[in-house]
Amino acid sequence: MTVLLMLCLFSTFLAYGVGKMGFSADLAAVQDIFLGKGSFQIGLDFRTMLSDEFQVRIPVACTVKEASFLVESGIMLVYYPWAQGPFMGLSVFQAGFSQGSETLDSLVNLNEVLLGWTFEFGPGLFVEPCLAIRDPSGTFSDEYSRLKGTFPCYTTFRGRLIFGWCFWR
């Protein structure tokens, strides 16, 4: 149901041509493999600019450890105070669906804050080093403690290196 809602939202943005659209991939999964955490997380997001300062992202991530996995998605609002460069993001809605774990519920409530910088190069290409702070308010501390117990790579602070392409407008 959530995935269907997000696809409808993304299709609406596409149909009405709100602004630049694109997608990106989180290349930080490399740190999970090299640090030998026993689990790893990969992520993608779809994005559109609402104005020069605001962007909506639909992140989709998967965290895996042996037979257990967590698929998460949501809606994130990102603010660029100077229309480029530094940004702050806040998840408006975020949830995860787990399978194969005895300690996690099948539906997990999540939230996170992003702080980063966008570097643009080439026609529509960009790189964003950023820091994700998961559950900064401590609202879902029980869920996050179980997540960290199941997936060692699921830490409170996560460095991300996002590479992407804006392909529309």
Side-chain angles (χ1 to χ4, degrees):
M1 181 67 174
T2 304
V3 173
L4 183 61
L5 175 67
M6 289 183 290
L7 288 174
C8 289
L9 180 66
F10 192 69
S11 298
T12 302
F13 289 142
L14 184 61
Y16 290 102
V18 175
K20 286 195 302 187
M21 298 185 74
F23 68 92
S24 63
D26 181 1
L27 303 178
V30 174
Q31 70 186 334
D32 299 332
I33 295 166
F34 284 127
L35 295 176
K37 297 214 174 198
S39 65
F40 68 93
Q41 182 178 39
I42 57 173
L44 300 170
D45 73 31
F46 303 95
R47 51 182 69 198
T48 186
M49 295 298 291
L50 299 176
S51 68
D52 286 341
E53 292 86 20
F54 288 99
Q55 184 180 82
V56 171
R57 297 183 186 179
I58 300 174
V60 179
C62 184
T63 307
V64 179
K65 178 183 177 187
E66 297 167 0
S68 301
F69 67 91
L70 173 75
V71 176
E72 62 184 271
S73 188
I75 298 171
M76 178 169 280
L77 183 62
V78 179
Y79 173 60
Y80 287 85
W82 295 285
Q84 60 184 8
F87 65 88
M88 300 174 288
L90 175 66
S91 59
V92 177
F93 165 78
Q94 190 172 353
F97 306 94
S98 68
Q99 183 72 34
S101 172
E102 296 174 4
T103 59
L104 293 175
D105 298 330
S106 59
L107 177 65
V108 181
N109 292 309
L110 306 167
N111 66 1
E112 70 181 30
V113 172
L114 284 180
L115 301 171
W117 198 288
T118 301
F119 296 97
E120 295 181 7
F121 61 96
L125 299 175
F126 61 88
V127 171
E128 293 177 342
C130 63
L131 176 67
I133 306 165
R134 294 173 169 155
D135 196 30
S137 63
T139 306
F140 304 113
S141 58
D142 290 341
E143 286 94 333
Y144 276 92
S145 64
R146 284 182 284 193
L147 276 168
K148 292 173 188 176
T150 304
F151 304 108
C153 71
Y154 213 92
T155 57
T156 302
F157 297 96
R158 182 171 177 84
R160 291 184 175 158
L161 181 62
I162 299 170
F163 177 78
W165 177 45
C166 287
F167 57 85
W168 192 269
R169 288 191 189 200

